[in-house]
Tab-separated table of all heavy atoms in Angstrom:
chain	number	residue	atom	x	y	z
A	226	ALA	N	6.515	-14.671	-11.235
A	226	ALA	CA	5.254	-14.112	-10.744
A	226	ALA	C	4.330	-15.211	-10.233
A	226	ALA	O	3.661	-15.047	-9.205
A	226	ALA	CB	4.570	-13.323	-11.858
A	227	GLY	N	4.300	-16.336	-10.954
A	227	GLY	CA	3.465	-17.446	-10.513
A	227	GLY	C	3.929	-18.025	-9.183
A	227	GLY	O	3.110	-18.337	-8.311
A	228	LEU	N	5.255	-18.160	-9.021
A	228	LEU	CA	5.790	-18.682	-7.763
A	228	LEU	C	5.550	-17.706	-6.611
A	228	LEU	O	5.277	-18.124	-5.481
A	228	LEU	CB	7.283	-18.970	-7.917
A	228	LEU	CG	7.638	-20.183	-8.780
A	228	LEU	CD1	9.144	-20.249	-9.011
A	228	LEU	CD2	7.143	-21.471	-8.122
A	229	LEU	N	5.659	-16.406	-6.881
A	229	LEU	CA	5.374	-15.418	-5.843
A	229	LEU	C	3.907	-15.482	-5.433
A	229	LEU	O	3.583	-15.438	-4.238
A	229	LEU	CB	5.720	-14.016	-6.343
A	229	LEU	CG	5.402	-12.863	-5.385
A	229	LEU	CD1	6.167	-13.019	-4.074
A	229	LEU	CD2	5.717	-11.513	-6.022
A	230	ALA	N	3.011	-15.596	-6.410
A	230	ALA	CA	1.581	-15.702	-6.103
A	230	ALA	C	1.295	-16.952	-5.279
A	230	ALA	O	0.529	-16.917	-4.304
A	230	ALA	CB	0.772	-15.720	-7.394
A	231	LEU	N	1.922	-18.070	-5.655
A	231	LEU	CA	1.728	-19.317	-4.908
A	231	LEU	C	2.196	-19.162	-3.469
A	231	LEU	O	1.510	-19.592	-2.525
A	231	LEU	CB	2.499	-20.447	-5.600
A	231	LEU	CG	2.499	-21.805	-4.880
A	231	LEU	CD1	1.084	-22.366	-4.801
A	231	LEU	CD2	3.433	-22.791	-5.585
A	232	THR	N	3.352	-18.540	-3.291
A	232	THR	CA	3.888	-18.336	-1.946
A	232	THR	C	2.948	-17.496	-1.087
A	232	THR	O	2.674	-17.826	0.080
A	232	THR	CB	5.267	-17.656	-2.020
A	232	THR	OG1	6.153	-18.466	-2.798
A	232	THR	CG2	5.850	-17.456	-0.631
A	233	LEU	N	2.441	-16.406	-1.668
A	233	LEU	CA	1.553	-15.519	-0.902
A	233	LEU	C	0.243	-16.206	-0.543
A	233	LEU	O	-0.268	-16.055	0.570
A	233	LEU	CB	1.283	-14.244	-1.706
A	233	LEU	CG	2.481	-13.321	-1.926
A	233	LEU	CD1	2.088	-12.132	-2.798
A	233	LEU	CD2	3.044	-12.841	-0.603
A	234	VAL	N	-0.318	-16.979	-1.472
A	234	VAL	CA	-1.573	-17.681	-1.195
A	234	VAL	C	-1.368	-18.739	-0.118
A	234	VAL	O	-2.181	-18.874	0.812
A	234	VAL	CB	-2.132	-18.308	-2.488
A	234	VAL	CG1	-3.304	-19.230	-2.176
A	234	VAL	CG2	-2.578	-17.228	-3.461
A	235	LEU	N	-0.269	-19.506	-0.236
A	235	LEU	CA	0.013	-20.539	0.765
A	235	LEU	C	0.176	-19.940	2.157
A	235	LEU	O	-0.176	-20.560	3.160
A	235	LEU	CB	1.284	-21.308	0.377
A	235	LEU	CG	1.172	-22.263	-0.814
A	235	LEU	CD1	2.550	-22.820	-1.183
A	235	LEU	CD2	0.208	-23.407	-0.521
A	236	LEU	N	0.701	-18.720	2.231
A	236	LEU	CA	0.918	-18.067	3.526
A	236	LEU	C	-0.335	-17.380	4.052
A	236	LEU	O	-0.724	-17.562	5.209
A	236	LEU	CB	2.051	-17.051	3.402
A	236	LEU	CG	2.344	-16.190	4.645
A	236	LEU	CD1	2.824	-17.060	5.795
A	236	LEU	CD2	3.345	-15.097	4.321
A	237	LEU	N	-0.982	-16.590	3.195
A	237	LEU	CA	-2.046	-15.714	3.669
A	237	LEU	C	-3.397	-16.411	3.807
A	237	LEU	O	-4.194	-16.055	4.681
A	237	LEU	CB	-2.182	-14.509	2.740
A	237	LEU	CG	-0.965	-13.578	2.670
A	237	LEU	CD1	-1.225	-12.419	1.723
A	237	LEU	CD2	-0.609	-13.056	4.048
A	238	LEU	N	-3.694	-17.380	2.946
A	238	LEU	CA	-5.002	-18.032	3.010
A	238	LEU	C	-5.221	-18.744	4.348
A	238	LEU	O	-6.259	-18.538	4.995
A	238	LEU	CB	-5.172	-19.009	1.839
A	238	LEU	CG	-6.552	-19.662	1.730
A	238	LEU	CD1	-7.640	-18.602	1.538
A	238	LEU	CD2	-6.584	-20.658	0.570
A	239	PRO	N	-4.281	-19.569	4.822
A	239	PRO	CA	-4.515	-20.193	6.141
A	239	PRO	C	-4.516	-19.196	7.288
A	239	PRO	O	-5.221	-19.392	8.286
A	239	PRO	CB	-3.354	-21.188	6.267
A	239	PRO	CG	-2.304	-20.696	5.346
A	239	PRO	CD	-3.044	-20.068	4.200
A	240	LEU	N	-3.739	-18.117	7.169
A	240	LEU	CA	-3.717	-17.128	8.239
A	240	LEU	C	-5.050	-16.398	8.351
A	240	LEU	O	-5.469	-16.010	9.450
A	240	LEU	CB	-2.596	-16.117	8.008
A	240	LEU	CG	-1.162	-16.623	8.236
A	240	LEU	CD1	-0.142	-15.550	7.882
A	240	LEU	CD2	-0.960	-17.092	9.673
A	241	THR	N	-5.742	-16.198	7.231
A	241	THR	CA	-7.021	-15.499	7.262
A	241	THR	C	-8.190	-16.427	7.596
A	241	THR	O	-9.136	-16.020	8.280
A	241	THR	CB	-7.300	-14.817	5.913
A	241	THR	OG1	-7.212	-15.774	4.855
A	241	THR	CG2	-6.311	-13.705	5.649
A	242	GLU	N	-8.139	-17.664	7.129
A	242	GLU	CA	-9.267	-18.568	7.316
A	242	GLU	C	-9.100	-19.528	8.486
A	242	GLU	O	-10.064	-20.115	8.956
A	242	GLU	CB	-9.481	-19.386	6.023
A	242	GLU	CG	-9.908	-18.549	4.832
A	242	GLU	CD	-11.264	-17.907	5.043
A	242	GLU	OE1	-12.211	-18.600	5.453
A	242	GLU	OE2	-11.375	-16.688	4.823
A	243	GLY	N	-7.859	-19.713	8.950
A	243	GLY	CA	-7.597	-20.734	9.964
A	243	GLY	C	-8.355	-20.538	11.251
A	243	GLY	O	-8.959	-21.473	11.790
A	244	ARG	N	-8.373	-19.327	11.793
A	244	ARG	CA	-9.040	-19.080	13.075
A	244	ARG	C	-10.529	-19.353	12.977
A	244	ARG	O	-11.125	-19.968	13.868
A	244	ARG	CB	-8.804	-17.629	13.509
A	244	ARG	CG	-9.279	-17.312	14.920
A	244	ARG	CD	-9.389	-15.814	15.105
A	244	ARG	NE	-10.382	-15.256	14.217
A	244	ARG	CZ	-11.694	-15.219	14.503
A	244	ARG	NH1	-12.142	-15.705	15.644
A	244	ARG	NH2	-12.543	-14.697	13.637
A	245	THR	N	-11.155	-18.890	11.873
A	245	THR	CA	-12.599	-19.081	11.708
A	245	THR	C	-12.962	-20.561	11.595
A	245	THR	O	-13.984	-21.008	12.127
A	245	THR	CB	-13.077	-18.331	10.442
A	245	THR	OG1	-12.718	-16.953	10.546
A	245	THR	CG2	-14.586	-18.450	10.282
A	246	LEU	N	-12.114	-21.336	10.920
A	246	LEU	CA	-12.412	-22.751	10.669
A	246	LEU	C	-11.903	-23.678	11.763
A	246	LEU	O	-12.086	-24.895	11.679
A	246	LEU	CB	-11.810	-23.166	9.318
A	246	LEU	CG	-12.316	-22.406	8.090
A	246	LEU	CD1	-11.571	-22.851	6.843
A	246	LEU	CD2	-13.826	-22.609	7.909
A	247	GLY	N	-11.245	-23.135	12.777
A	247	GLY	CA	-10.721	-23.973	13.849
A	247	GLY	C	-9.386	-24.624	13.524
A	247	GLY	O	-9.040	-25.659	14.098
A	248	TRP	N	-8.628	-24.026	12.624
A	248	TRP	CA	-7.301	-24.507	12.233
A	248	TRP	C	-7.306	-25.988	11.835
A	248	TRP	O	-6.661	-26.821	12.479
A	248	TRP	CB	-6.281	-24.261	13.346
A	248	TRP	CG	-6.105	-22.818	13.677
A	248	TRP	CD1	-6.617	-22.148	14.735
A	248	TRP	CD2	-5.390	-21.843	12.905
A	248	TRP	NE1	-6.267	-20.818	14.697
A	248	TRP	CE2	-5.504	-20.603	13.576
A	248	TRP	CE3	-4.648	-21.891	11.718
A	248	TRP	CZ2	-4.932	-19.426	13.095
A	248	TRP	CZ3	-4.077	-20.723	11.246
A	248	TRP	CH2	-4.213	-19.512	11.929
A	249	PRO	N	-8.018	-26.316	10.753
A	249	PRO	CA	-7.979	-27.700	10.262
A	249	PRO	C	-6.600	-28.051	9.699
A	249	PRO	O	-5.729	-27.191	9.542
A	249	PRO	CB	-9.042	-27.701	9.155
A	249	PRO	CG	-9.136	-26.282	8.705
A	249	PRO	CD	-8.878	-25.453	9.930
A	250	LEU	N	-6.415	-29.335	9.350
A	250	LEU	CA	-5.114	-29.832	8.922
A	250	LEU	C	-4.573	-29.087	7.706
A	250	LEU	O	-3.368	-28.788	7.631
A	250	LEU	CB	-5.205	-31.333	8.618
A	250	LEU	CG	-3.912	-31.990	8.114
A	250	LEU	CD1	-2.808	-31.877	9.151
A	250	LEU	CD2	-4.181	-33.450	7.739
A	251	TRP	N	-5.468	-28.748	6.743
A	251	TRP	CA	-4.979	-28.132	5.507
A	251	TRP	C	-4.309	-26.781	5.765
A	251	TRP	O	-3.405	-26.378	5.015
A	251	TRP	CB	-6.109	-27.975	4.488
A	251	TRP	CG	-7.126	-26.901	4.805
A	251	TRP	CD1	-8.331	-27.071	5.418
A	251	TRP	CD2	-7.007	-25.503	4.526
A	251	TRP	NE1	-8.980	-25.863	5.550
A	251	TRP	CE2	-8.194	-24.888	5.000
A	251	TRP	CE3	-6.038	-24.707	3.927
A	251	TRP	CZ2	-8.427	-23.518	4.890
A	251	TRP	CZ3	-6.265	-23.336	3.815
A	251	TRP	CH2	-7.437	-22.754	4.286
A	252	THR	N	-4.725	-26.075	6.826
A	252	THR	CA	-4.100	-24.780	7.104
A	252	THR	C	-2.643	-24.951	7.518
A	252	THR	O	-1.772	-24.174	7.108
A	252	THR	CB	-4.870	-24.028	8.206
A	252	THR	OG1	-4.873	-24.805	9.410
A	252	THR	CG2	-6.304	-23.757	7.783
A	253	TRP	N	-2.358	-25.978	8.319
A	253	TRP	CA	-0.979	-26.235	8.737
A	253	TRP	C	-0.136	-26.753	7.579
A	253	TRP	O	1.054	-26.407	7.460
A	253	TRP	CB	-0.963	-27.220	9.904
A	253	TRP	CG	-1.680	-26.691	11.109
A	253	TRP	CD1	-2.890	-27.090	11.596
A	253	TRP	CD2	-1.235	-25.634	11.960
A	253	TRP	NE1	-3.242	-26.353	12.692
A	253	TRP	CE2	-2.248	-25.459	12.956
A	253	TRP	CE3	-0.102	-24.826	11.986
A	253	TRP	CZ2	-2.131	-24.498	13.952
A	253	TRP	CZ3	0.010	-23.875	12.988
A	253	TRP	CH2	-0.993	-23.718	13.951
A	254	VAL	N	-0.744	-27.592	6.725
A	254	VAL	CA	-0.028	-28.078	5.535
A	254	VAL	C	0.319	-26.912	4.621
A	254	VAL	O	1.429	-26.820	4.074
A	254	VAL	CB	-0.879	-29.126	4.783
A	254	VAL	CG1	-0.225	-29.492	3.447
A	254	VAL	CG2	-1.062	-30.376	5.636
A	255	SER	N	-0.619	-25.984	4.451
A	255	SER	CA	-0.393	-24.827	3.595
A	255	SER	C	0.727	-23.949	4.144
A	255	SER	O	1.612	-23.502	3.395
A	255	SER	CB	-1.683	-24.020	3.464
A	255	SER	OG	-1.500	-22.889	2.644
A	256	LEU	N	0.709	-23.705	5.453
A	256	LEU	CA	1.769	-22.893	6.056
A	256	LEU	C	3.130	-23.565	5.912
A	256	LEU	O	4.143	-22.908	5.616
A	256	LEU	CB	1.459	-22.649	7.531
A	256	LEU	CG	0.330	-21.666	7.839
A	256	LEU	CD1	-0.011	-21.671	9.326
A	256	LEU	CD2	0.715	-20.256	7.401
A	257	ALA	N	3.167	-24.892	6.109
A	257	ALA	CA	4.430	-25.615	5.954
A	257	ALA	C	4.920	-25.570	4.506
A	257	ALA	O	6.133	-25.483	4.259
A	257	ALA	CB	4.263	-27.067	6.405
A	258	ALA	N	3.993	-25.604	3.566
A	258	ALA	CA	4.371	-25.589	2.141
A	258	ALA	C	4.928	-24.242	1.711
A	258	ALA	O	5.535	-24.136	0.635
A	258	ALA	CB	3.158	-25.951	1.288
A	259	THR	N	4.735	-23.209	2.533
A	259	THR	CA	5.295	-21.901	2.202
A	259	THR	C	6.816	-21.950	2.114
A	259	THR	O	7.425	-21.277	1.277
A	259	THR	CB	4.876	-20.867	3.266
A	259	THR	OG1	3.450	-20.822	3.370
A	259	THR	CG2	5.397	-19.480	2.915
A	260	ILE	N	7.438	-22.761	2.953
A	260	ILE	CA	8.909	-22.827	2.997
A	260	ILE	C	9.478	-23.348	1.675
A	260	ILE	O	10.344	-22.684	1.072
A	260	ILE	CB	9.376	-23.674	4.194
A	260	ILE	CG1	8.924	-23.023	5.495
A	260	ILE	CG2	10.897	-23.837	4.174
A	260	ILE	CD1	9.227	-23.847	6.735
A	261	PRO	N	9.038	-24.529	1.173
A	261	PRO	CA	9.575	-24.955	-0.131
A	261	PRO	C	9.192	-24.008	-1.270
A	261	PRO	O	9.949	-23.880	-2.238
A	261	PRO	CB	8.968	-26.344	-0.332
A	261	PRO	CG	7.811	-26.426	0.605
A	261	PRO	CD	8.174	-25.567	1.767
A	262	ALA	N	8.051	-23.348	-1.163
A	262	ALA	CA	7.669	-22.394	-2.213
A	262	ALA	C	8.644	-21.225	-2.254
A	262	ALA	O	9.048	-20.761	-3.327
A	262	ALA	CB	6.242	-21.892	-1.974
A	263	VAL	N	9.050	-20.732	-1.081
A	263	VAL	CA	10.032	-19.653	-1.023
A	263	VAL	C	11.371	-20.115	-1.587
A	263	VAL	O	12.050	-19.384	-2.324
A	263	VAL	CB	10.203	-19.161	0.434
A	263	VAL	CG1	11.397	-18.209	0.544
A	263	VAL	CG2	8.942	-18.470	0.919
A	264	VAL	N	11.761	-21.357	-1.258
A	264	VAL	CA	13.024	-21.900	-1.780
A	264	VAL	C	12.983	-21.992	-3.299
A	264	VAL	O	13.940	-21.613	-3.993
A	264	VAL	CB	13.304	-23.281	-1.154
A	264	VAL	CG1	14.517	-23.935	-1.824
A	264	VAL	CG2	13.540	-23.155	0.346
A	265	LEU	N	11.879	-22.494	-3.846
A	265	LEU	CA	11.738	-22.590	-5.303
A	265	LEU	C	11.800	-21.213	-5.949
A	265	LEU	O	12.449	-21.041	-7.001
A	265	LEU	CB	10.410	-23.277	-5.658
A	265	LEU	CG	10.351	-24.790	-5.480
A	265	LEU	CD1	8.937	-25.294	-5.759
A	265	LEU	CD2	11.347	-25.472	-6.418
A	266	LEU	N	11.133	-20.240	-5.349
A	266	LEU	CA	11.167	-18.883	-5.888
A	266	LEU	C	12.588	-18.345	-5.884
A	266	LEU	O	13.054	-17.761	-6.878
A	266	LEU	CB	10.246	-17.979	-5.056
A	266	LEU	CG	10.239	-16.491	-5.427
A	266	LEU	CD1	9.773	-16.286	-6.859
A	266	LEU	CD2	9.358	-15.704	-4.452
A	267	GLY	N	13.316	-18.547	-4.775
A	267	GLY	CA	14.686	-18.061	-4.695
A	267	GLY	C	15.601	-18.725	-5.709
A	267	GLY	O	16.421	-18.059	-6.356
A	268	LEU	N	15.477	-20.049	-5.882
A	268	LEU	CA	16.300	-20.763	-6.861
A	268	LEU	C	16.009	-20.288	-8.281
A	268	LEU	O	16.932	-20.093	-9.086
A	268	LEU	CB	16.046	-22.275	-6.748
A	268	LEU	CG	16.609	-22.966	-5.505
A	268	LEU	CD1	16.145	-24.419	-5.455
A	268	LEU	CD2	18.133	-22.887	-5.495
A	269	HIS	N	14.728	-20.087	-8.582
A	269	HIS	CA	14.366	-19.622	-9.930
A	269	HIS	C	14.923	-18.226	-10.193
A	269	HIS	O	15.458	-17.964	-11.287
A	269	HIS	CB	12.851	-19.617	-10.086
A	269	HIS	CG	12.391	-18.980	-11.360
A	269	HIS	ND1	12.539	-19.574	-12.594
A	269	HIS	CD2	11.811	-17.769	-11.598
A	269	HIS	CE1	12.073	-18.775	-13.529
A	269	HIS	NE2	11.627	-17.674	-12.954
A	270	GLN	N	14.826	-17.350	-9.213
A	270	GLN	CA	15.341	-15.998	-9.397
A	270	GLN	C	16.859	-16.004	-9.585
A	270	GLN	O	17.404	-15.279	-10.420
A	270	GLN	CB	14.968	-15.118	-8.195
A	270	GLN	CG	13.478	-14.974	-7.965
A	270	GLN	CD	12.743	-14.350	-9.141
A	270	GLN	OE1	12.759	-13.147	-9.333
A	270	GLN	NE2	12.106	-15.180	-9.958
A	271	HIS	N	17.550	-16.840	-8.809
A	271	HIS	CA	19.016	-16.929	-8.925
A	271	HIS	C	19.423	-17.456	-10.298
A	271	HIS	O	20.321	-16.901	-10.948
A	271	HIS	CB	19.551	-17.839	-7.822
A	271	HIS	CG	21.036	-18.023	-7.866
A	271	HIS	ND1	21.924	-17.053	-7.454
A	271	HIS	CD2	21.801	-19.086	-8.292
A	271	HIS	CE1	23.162	-17.495	-7.624
A	271	HIS	NE2	23.112	-18.719	-8.119
A	272	ARG	N	18.764	-18.508	-10.765
A	272	ARG	CA	19.111	-19.086	-12.069
A	272	ARG	C	18.774	-18.134	-13.206
A	272	ARG	O	19.527	-18.046	-14.188
A	272	ARG	CB	18.366	-20.409	-12.246
A	272	ARG	CG	18.873	-21.527	-11.334
A	272	ARG	CD	17.992	-22.754	-11.399
A	272	ARG	NE	18.463	-23.815	-10.499
A	272	ARG	CZ	17.783	-24.924	-10.257
A	272	ARG	NH1	16.588	-25.123	-10.820
A	272	ARG	NH2	18.286	-25.838	-9.441
A	273	SER	N	17.661	-17.425	-13.082
A	273	SER	CA	17.277	-16.488	-14.138
A	273	SER	C	18.301	-15.363	-14.272
A	273	SER	O	18.716	-15.008	-15.373
A	273	SER	CB	15.890	-15.895	-13.841
A	273	SER	OG	14.905	-16.895	-13.877
A	274	GLU	N	18.730	-14.824	-13.129
A	274	GLU	CA	19.713	-13.746	-13.190
A	274	GLU	C	21.061	-14.250	-13.689
A	274	GLU	O	21.745	-13.564	-14.467
A	274	GLU	CB	19.865	-13.110	-11.807
A	274	GLU	CG	20.735	-11.855	-11.808
A	274	GLU	CD	20.677	-11.119	-10.494
A	274	GLU	OE1	20.853	-11.766	-9.442
A	274	GLU	OE2	20.466	-9.890	-10.495
A	275	LYS	N	21.447	-15.445	-13.275
A	275	LYS	CA	22.722	-16.009	-13.715
A	275	LYS	C	22.727	-16.256	-15.217
A	275	LYS	O	23.766	-16.151	-15.883
A	275	LYS	CB	22.990	-17.323	-12.966
A	275	LYS	CG	24.406	-17.853	-13.130
A	275	LYS	CD	24.632	-19.060	-12.236
A	275	LYS	CE	26.069	-19.577	-12.389
A	275	LYS	NZ	26.310	-20.761	-11.516
Side-chain angles (χ1 to χ4, degrees):
L228 288 172
L229 177 60
L231 175 64
T232 302
L233 293 177
V234 171
L235 288 173
L236 175 64
L237 297 180
L238 185 60
L240 288 176
T241 54
E242 294 296 312
R244 188 197 63 85
T245 304
L246 300 176
W248 299 102
L250 178 61
W251 72 263
T252 60
W253 298 108
V254 172
S255 180
L256 287 172
T259 303
I260 298 175
V263 170
V264 173
L265 284 175
L266 176 61
L268 288 174
H269 172 73
Q270 300 300 281
H271 179 75
R272 290 172 181 172
S273 295
E274 188 170 50
K275 192 174 181 180

